[in-house]
Amino acid sequence: MTVSFRTRLFVVAGLIVGAVLSAVLLLGYSRVLGYEVQRLEERLCAEARRLLSQPFHGEDLPRLNADIVGKLHLDHSDQLMLRFETGAGADNGVDFQSSNWHAPLAMDSPTWQPAKAGAQLNPRPPPPQDEGAPPLPADRPFAIDPPPPDGQRPPPDASRPPPPGSCALASFTVQGHAWRAARYTAGAQRSVVAADLLATEGELTAAMAQAMKLVVPLAVLLTALGAWLLASLTMRPVDRLRSAMQSVTQKALDQRLPSAGEDTEFKALIEVYNTMLARLEASFLQASRFSSDAAHELKTPLTILQGRIELALGKAEHTAMHGELTELQGEVGRLAAITRKLLLLSQADAGHLALKLAPIDLSAMLDDMAADAHMLITDLPILHPDQASSCSITRGLAVQGDALLLRQLFNNLVSNALRYRSADGWITLSARDAQGGVEVVFANACAPIAPSQRGRFFERFYRGDASHNRSIDGNGLGLSLAREIAKAHGGELGLLASAQDEVQMRVWLPAVAMQSQGACKPIP
């Protein structure tokens, strides 16, 4: 399957933009995830410091756990681990530890890394106590024991804020889930808050998925539009160059493609094209001028030579000499005919073929030509046997043209059909209205002709293998000249598809209205 360059450019541009967009989305997701993890680390450090700076009693632990779950944007309490140490507890200094605490996580493991500056929070002073309430012990701001009943509070003690501490961070894996933990240390006291990163990743993924519902269709639309615009802008100079090339004909070789405002690469291409066209124009003008000049130069001596031969024929007394002069006169006439055709062809190539336009009754002209052909070969049927009862020439066909040139066009076609017909073949001539003009078809039976030879019928000086015999008159310029005359009148001449033993020539000419219209007239 052939794909246009514009389509390939559109697909490649779309793939490139799509790949860049995907990379941007992945990079953006990674950066946003990293930012969210960094924010989570800051919150973890804040919550770890909170365990050391605020007094909580046993009945406050569920509320504390739920409060931290909410602040860390976790889905449930199983995604949170808490641990608090004063350094003097009964169970190896552990005052509190979540039930889902991961045992291998060591408090003094070397995997702990100091938190960044943004996560290092200086401890805030404890909140003010109610007036008359005893202060909390400085070395035990967090207790798991229930508060003593009223009237049995310990004696007041001088309260002081916990010493400044530092936060460290660590990562570990529990059952395939990545966790992030913060350890806050202030003197002998340490607290750890760990959170499952699955919640953070799930929240970000859900947000990204919700955004993608709008972003992806819009991005696809903009990508397709941008790729198509890019392909169109890239192909615009190429389209202009193609249109200019299509408009180049032998009569319009002086056209040049402007390069102002084009990109450097296309400007160079356009300049090369203009240079090539200039060389082609010069070569064509030189060839046309040579043909015209040669034809003009040959006309005079050939005319003189033909006159001298005719004078010699009148004085020749010897029969042999008379025959030689007659044959010589025929060759001179043949050269004169070639010269006239070359002159007309050179004028047509240069676009200077002079036309004396006038309304022509084409039906009458074709009737006269058919009658002349019928008189030349009375033993040859003019109509195909299958068309013997059909109307051959429609009445009232008219064209605007040069009568002499059009008669030469049709004479060339008739003589070509008569010259190369088969021995007992047929010839048809039909004319009718067709497609806003007049269609004339000449057909004849002939010896089988290969398709390769048919394709060269309108080449100048081309004659088929069977026609190189000098007994068949012709110079290979008749069909070429007939086509040029048809083009000069705004029409066309072409070869119709037919059997190998048949040739059909079709002439189409623009029609003009005639005052009188009649019925079809068969060829006599």
Side-chain angles (χ1 to χ4, degrees):
M1 181 179 64
T2 303
V3 180
S4 66
F5 177 72
R6 184 192 298 270
T7 303
R8 291 202 305 270
L9 186 61
F10 169 74
V11 172
V12 171
L15 290 177
I16 292 176
V17 175
V20 172
L21 181 61
S22 300
V24 170
L25 290 176
L26 291 177
L27 180 61
Y29 179 82
S30 177
R31 295 294 298 272
V32 172
L33 180 61
Y35 174 73
E36 290 296 325
V37 171
Q38 182 179 356
R39 290 183 59 191
L40 177 64
E41 292 173 351
E42 295 175 358
R43 292 195 294 265
L44 288 174
C45 285
E47 296 303 323
R49 187 194 64 78
R50 177 183 175 189
L51 294 180
L52 294 181
S53 61
Q54 294 185 0
F56 288 96
H57 301 285
E59 69 273 11
D60 295 330
L61 292 180
R63 182 169 58 84
L64 172 65
N65 195 75
D67 183 61
I68 296 178
V69 167
K71 289 184 177 180
L72 297 183
H73 299 160
L74 303 179
D75 296 332
H76 46 78
S77 60
D78 291 341
Q79 295 176 332
L80 177 68
M81 295 183 187
L82 298 177
R83 182 183 175 99
F84 174 76
E85 297 179 2
T86 61
D91 186 11
N92 296 326
V94 179
D95 286 56
F96 172 75
Q97 179 176 289
S98 299
S99 60
N100 61 337
W101 179 261
H102 185 52
L105 180 62
M107 295 292 287
D108 298 321
S109 173
T111 58
W112 293 95
Q113 300 293 332
K116 297 180 180 178
Q120 294 285 1
L121 302 174
N122 292 325
R124 295 175 296 180
Q129 302 292 319
D130 294 336
E131 187 175 354
L136 293 173
D139 60 345
R140 190 77 176 274
F142 179 80
I144 63 174
D145 299 327
D150 294 339
Q152 300 183 12
R153 296 180 183 274
D157 188 9
S159 66
R160 59 184 178 82
S166 61
C167 184
L169 300 170
S171 299
F172 60 95
T173 302
V174 176
Q175 296 180 352
H177 291 183
W179 288 67
R180 192 68 172 161
R183 183 188 67 187
Y184 196 86
T185 304
Q189 298 178 355
R190 294 186 299 184
S191 62
V192 177
V193 178
D196 191 348
L197 292 181
L198 181 63
T200 301
E201 294 177 356
E203 182 180 7
L204 179 59
T205 301
M208 290 289 290
Q210 186 67 25
M212 288 299 100
K213 293 179 180 179
L214 176 64
V215 173
V216 170
L218 183 62
V220 171
L221 178 62
L222 293 179
T223 299
L225 180 60
W228 182 254
L229 289 177
L230 177 62
S232 299
L233 290 175
T234 304
M235 290 299 298
R236 182 176 298 174
V238 179
D239 292 339
R240 290 182 58 238
L241 185 60
R242 180 188 60 192
S243 299
M245 289 181 175
Q246 289 176 344
S247 64
V248 171
T249 62
Q250 59 187 18
K251 298 179 182 179
L253 292 175
D254 58 340
Q255 297 182 3
R256 298 295 183 270
L257 191 63
S259 60
E262 298 291 348
D263 296 329
T264 303
E265 296 79 5
F266 288 110
K267 183 179 294 185
L269 179 62
I270 291 173
E271 290 176 354
V272 171
Y273 164 75
N274 289 336
T275 302
M276 178 195 68
L277 196 61
R279 291 197 301 265
L280 180 62
E281 181 185 15
S283 300
F284 184 80
L285 290 177
Q286 182 179 4
S288 298
R289 191 179 301 113
F290 172 79
S291 299
S292 180
D293 294 344
H296 273 292
E297 293 298 327
L298 288 173
K299 283 180 63 177
T300 300
L302 286 174
T303 302
I304 295 174
L305 183 59
Q306 191 170 14
R308 294 289 179 88
I309 293 175
E310 291 177 355
L311 184 60
L313 278 173
K315 297 179 179 180
E317 298 179 354
H318 197 278
T319 305
M321 179 62 68
H322 192 279
E324 290 291 336
L325 289 175
T326 302
E327 185 176 352
L328 185 59
Q329 185 183 33
E331 293 297 331
V332 172
R334 183 170 177 270
L335 284 175
I338 294 175
T339 303
R340 287 193 301 270
K341 291 178 179 179
L342 284 176
L343 180 59
L344 289 175
L345 286 172
S346 62
Q347 292 174 349
D349 290 341
H352 299 151
L353 188 61
L355 299 178
K356 297 180 180 180
L357 299 179
I360 300 173
D361 187 346
L362 191 61
S363 298
M365 179 183 290
L366 294 176
D367 288 341
D368 295 339
M369 296 181 60
D372 294 341
H374 186 72
M375 287 188 298
L376 289 176
I377 43 175
T378 56
D379 59 336
L380 182 67
I382 301 298
L383 287 177
H384 190 282
D386 296 338
Q387 300 176 344
S389 61
S390 64
C391 179
S392 300
I393 300 177
T394 302
R395 297 295 88 205
L397 298 178
V399 297
Q400 187 84 6
D402 188 306
L404 292 178
L405 291 178
L406 287 180
R407 186 172 290 276
Q408 183 171 1
L409 184 159
F410 294 126
N411 277 330
N412 287 349
L413 296 180
V414 171
S415 61
N416 191 77
L418 294 175
R419 186 180 299 119
Y420 299 113
R421 72 187 186 279
S422 56
D424 54 350
W426 47 264
I427 296 177
T428 62
L429 169 59
S430 61
R432 62 185 181 89
D433 294 309
Q435 302 175 358
V438 177
E439 181 185 73
V440 183
V441 177
F442 295 82
N444 65 277
C446 63
I449 302 176
S452 59
Q453 292 180 324
R454 291 173 180 265
R456 303 183 61 187
F457 271 9
F458 296 98
E459 293 182 11
R460 297 178 184 181
F461 294 105
Y462 174 75
R463 304 178 70 191
D465 294 336
S467 65
H468 279 119
N469 193 328
R470 296 303 298 269
S471 62
I472 301 179
D473 191 19
N475 47 51
L477 293 175
L479 292 180
S480 301
L481 181 57
R483 170 174 278 187
E484 294 299 332
I485 294 175
K487 288 181 179 180
H489 285 80
E492 59 184 18
L493 169 61
L495 182 66
L496 297 179
S498 61
Q500 287 192 350
D501 59 349
E502 181 180 344
V503 173
Q504 294 186 17
M505 294 287 179
R506 175 184 178 271
V507 181
W508 181 88
L509 296 172
V512 295
M514 290 288 289
Q515 295 182 354
S516 61
Q517 297 290 337
C520 297
K521 177 184 177 181
I523 298 177

